[in-house]
């Protein structure tokens, strides 16, 4: 039975956790990250909350188009990032077109918010189980002496804050749906807190595993998983690949549904299925763009995406403030 007002918290959480698990490099030491997270989590939550207020005040057609372009560009980058990771870890296992279809075809079912919500809880549970299994697998190789005890300097905290303040679209999507009273007042703070807490925990595990060599490792999390005592990640690589595909599918399904609401207006019912024609266009365009951009520097593009997101949020704040001032002047006149 479909929920009348399904919660998207699990889908948003899967989206931000995927950004941690699929990151190709480590950016900071865990002590600096733990200190920075105490500041960065409230900042991200406040940014998302102010964006939601500004969006309700002045969501112009231009802002809707820019938001849709941001989500479409992020979808392409997510597919390219997954493709690059697959090529490094499982060379020759799957072609780029096949990987794109594996990720995108399930969205045919995930065109409704209730379907996204229900599937996201399943994927979230699988991610938690896989992460716990990986931690148990490498536990004998974690050594407390690997923790770096050198005095932290300002650049260490700056690196951690710069990495944690990457503004992902998941922090902006609650502005679209559901309404604030349905999603809860502290959803964004919980989302940012869990995401950064998980990020710091993963960095702490990697530091305990690699020690001072951590910044020099390529794909450190996946390399650590392959070294686990249980060796499940080396004997069952296809299960790990399927898990990454499922998680990215949830992320892209969320983006696709948000794009349909942005381009189709807010009048549509919250749990109505996205238009099948729009899905066909989405299915055709994304693999085509990915094939054309297969040589793109994804890490650099993701940094540009983050800068564009901050610029878009600033523009939305300005638009919301201008709309609020216009309403005040009209009431006074």
């Amino acid at each position: 039975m479909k929920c009348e007002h399904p919660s998207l918290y699990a889908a948003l959480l899967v989206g931000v956790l995927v950004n941690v698990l699929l990151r190709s490099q480590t950016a900071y030491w865990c002590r600096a990250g733990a200190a920075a997270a105490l500041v960065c989590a409230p900042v991200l939550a406040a940014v998302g909350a102010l964006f939601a207020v500004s969006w309700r005040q002045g969501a112009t057609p231009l802002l809707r188009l820019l938001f849709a372009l941001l989500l479409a560009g992020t979808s392409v980058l997510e597919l390219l990032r997954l493709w690059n990771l697959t090529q490094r870890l499982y060379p020759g296992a799957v072609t780029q077109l096949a990987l794109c279809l594996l990720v995108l075809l399930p969205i045919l079912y995930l065109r409704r918010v209730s379907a996204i919500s229900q599937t996201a809880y399943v994927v979230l549970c699988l991610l938690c189980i896989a992460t716990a299994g990986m931690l148990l697998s490498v536990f004998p190789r974690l050594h407390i002496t690997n923790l770096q005890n050198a005095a932290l300097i300002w650049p260490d905290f700056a690196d951690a804050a710069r990495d944690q303040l990457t503004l992902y679209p998941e922090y902006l999507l609650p502005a679209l749906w559901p309404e604030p009273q349905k999603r809860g007042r502290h959803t964004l703070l919980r989302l940012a807190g869990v995401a950064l807490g998980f990020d710091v925990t993963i960095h702490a595990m990697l530091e305990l595993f690699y020690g001072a060599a951590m910044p020099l490792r390529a794909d450190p999390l996946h390399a650590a998983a392959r070294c686990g005592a249980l060796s499940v990640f080396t004997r069952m690589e296809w299960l790990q690949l399927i898990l990454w595909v499922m998680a990215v599918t949830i992320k892209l399904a969320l983006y696709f549904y948000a794009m349909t609401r942005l381009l189709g207006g807010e009048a549509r019912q919250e749990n109505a299925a996205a238009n099948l024609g729009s899905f066909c266009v989405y299915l055709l365009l994304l693999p085509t763009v990915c094939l054309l951009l297969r040589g793109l520097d994804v890490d650099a593009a993701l940094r540009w995406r983050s800068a564009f997101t901050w610029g878009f949020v600033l523009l939305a704040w300005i638009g919301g403030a201008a709309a609020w001032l216009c309403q005040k002047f009209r009431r006074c006149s």
Side-chain angles (χ1 to χ4, degrees), residues 41-111:
V43 168
L44 288 173
V47 168
L50 286 175
F51 176 80
V53 173
S54 301
W55 188 263
R56 289 194 296 271
Q57 289 289 336
T60 64
L62 176 60
L63 286 177
R64 289 179 179 276
L65 179 60
L66 288 176
F67 202 173
L69 290 175
L70 170 65
L71 295 176
T74 303
S75 300
V76 172
L77 293 178
E78 291 297 334
L79 284 172
L80 289 174
R81 180 169 64 169
L82 181 62
W83 161 249
N84 290 342
L85 180 69
T86 303
Q87 284 298 99
R88 292 194 301 269
L89 299 181
Y90 322 111
V94 63
T95 65
Q96 187 179 26
L97 179 60
L99 184 66
C100 289
L101 293 178
L102 280 174
V103 173
L104 294 174
L105 283 177
I107 299 177
L108 180 63
Y109 166 72
L110 300 173
R111 291 182 299 119

Side-chain angles (χ1 to χ4, degrees), residues 14-309:
V14 167
V16 292
L17 294 186
V18 166
N19 295 317
V20 175
L21 293 172
L22 298 185
R23 184 160 30 221
S24 60
Q25 77 284 333
T26 54
Y28 57 80
W29 300 111
C30 66
R31 284 187 299 152
L38 297 176
V39 176
C40 293
V43 168
L44 288 173
V47 168
L50 286 175
F51 176 80
V53 173
S54 301
W55 188 263
R56 289 194 296 271
Q57 289 289 336
T60 64
L62 176 60
L63 286 177
R64 289 179 179 276
L65 179 60
L66 288 176
F67 202 173
L69 290 175
L70 170 65
L71 295 176
T74 303
S75 300
V76 172
L77 293 178
E78 291 297 334
L79 284 172
L80 289 174
R81 180 169 64 169
L82 181 62
W83 161 249
N84 290 342
L85 180 69
T86 303
Q87 284 298 99
R88 292 194 301 269
L89 299 181
Y90 322 111
V94 63
T95 65
Q96 187 179 26
L97 179 60
L99 184 66
C100 289
L101 293 178
L102 280 174
V103 173
L104 294 174
L105 283 177
I107 299 177
L108 180 63
Y109 166 72
L110 300 173
R111 291 182 299 119
R112 194 182 296 272
V113 171
S114 57
I116 296 174
S117 176
Q118 294 161 6
T119 309
Y121 280 107
V122 175
V123 174
L124 184 60
C125 290
L126 292 176
L127 280 174
C128 292
I129 292 172
T131 303
M134 188 269 289
L135 290 175
L136 290 175
S137 175
V138 301
F139 184 77
R141 302 186 60 171
L142 303 182
H143 303 290
I144 194 69
T145 54
N146 282 337
L147 287 176
Q148 301 304 296
N149 55 11
L152 295 175
I153 57 178
W154 171 247
D156 294 324
F157 294 102
D159 289 341
R162 187 183 307 112
D163 184 74
Q164 292 178 356
L165 287 177
T166 300
L167 190 59
Y168 299 113
E170 282 79 6
Y171 295 116
L172 308 181
L173 290 177
L176 301 181
W177 85 98
E179 295 299 325
Q181 61 267 27
K182 299 174 192 171
R183 70 170 186 260
R185 297 177 58 186
H186 305 294
T187 295
L188 284 168
L189 185 58
R190 286 188 291 123
L191 181 67
V194 172
L196 295 189
F198 182 74
D199 197 8
V200 172
T201 301
I202 291 297
H203 277 78
M205 186 276 293
L206 292 174
E207 191 171 328
L208 290 170
F209 188 87
Y210 291 111
M214 182 180 71
L216 306 177
R217 297 291 303 187
D219 300 313
L221 181 61
H222 307 282
R226 288 181 166 185
C227 295
L230 301 178
S231 300
V232 67
F233 291 95
T234 57
R235 291 200 296 261
M236 305 180 74
E237 298 280 16
W238 59 276
L239 283 179
Q240 190 180 9
L241 177 60
I242 289 175
L243 180 60
W244 303 142
V245 168
M246 292 171 61
V248 175
T249 295
I250 292 295
K251 193 178 179 71
L252 297 192
L254 199 60
Y255 292 170
F256 170 68
Y257 195 85
M259 281 188 282
T260 61
R261 289 181 62 83
L262 285 166
L263 299 178
E266 296 289 353
R268 60 180 293 113
Q269 291 184 357
E270 180 183 316
N271 198 30
N275 185 271
L276 187 59
S278 301
F279 169 74
C280 292
V281 173
Y282 189 71
L283 181 63
L284 289 174
L285 284 182
L286 254 64
T288 303
V289 175
C290 289
L291 289 172
L292 293 174
L293 298 178
R294 59 167 32 185
L296 181 70
D297 185 345
V298 178
D299 291 333
L302 286 170
R303 289 192 292 271
W304 279 105
R305 190 278 312 270
S306 181
F308 177 82
T309 306

